[in-house]
Amino acid sequence: MLARSPVEHVSVCSDCGVVHLSMDCLSVRLEVNAFLALAEMLSQAQKRLNGMQPHEGHACHESAHVVH
């Protein structure tokens, strides 16, 4: 187990080295380099989101908390 939260966890298989990303009903298996690239991209996205100001009246704003 590499990391855990109430709704997701990340683990790595000691036999094959594949990283398992599990979120509720979604599970993704990635090679280590693919996982590291995804983590970097998500980190960049998080930094950009943290720097954004809320847009009042934006169509996506009302449903942004809904996950499909």
Side-chain angles (χ1 to χ4, degrees):
M1 187 66 56
L2 298 175
R4 177 180 290 278
S5 80
V7 294
E8 62 244 347
H9 69 269
V10 180
S11 60
V12 63
C13 176
S14 59
D15 293 330
C16 65
V18 171
V19 177
H20 299 266
L21 172 60
S22 298
M23 301 177 292
D24 285 334
C25 62
L26 174 69
S27 179
V28 179
R29 295 175 13 173
L30 301 163
E31 292 181 358
V32 171
N33 287 339
F35 173 78
L36 293 173
L38 174 62
E40 177 64 28
M41 181 187 66
L42 292 174
S43 176
Q44 290 175 8
Q46 180 185 19
K47 289 174 187 173
R48 288 185 178 164
L49 278 174
N50 287 340
M52 292 176 63
Q53 298 297 319
H55 299 284
E56 293 185 20
H58 192 275
C60 293
H61 182 67
E62 293 177 17
S63 63
H65 65 280
V66 177
V67 178
H68 298 277

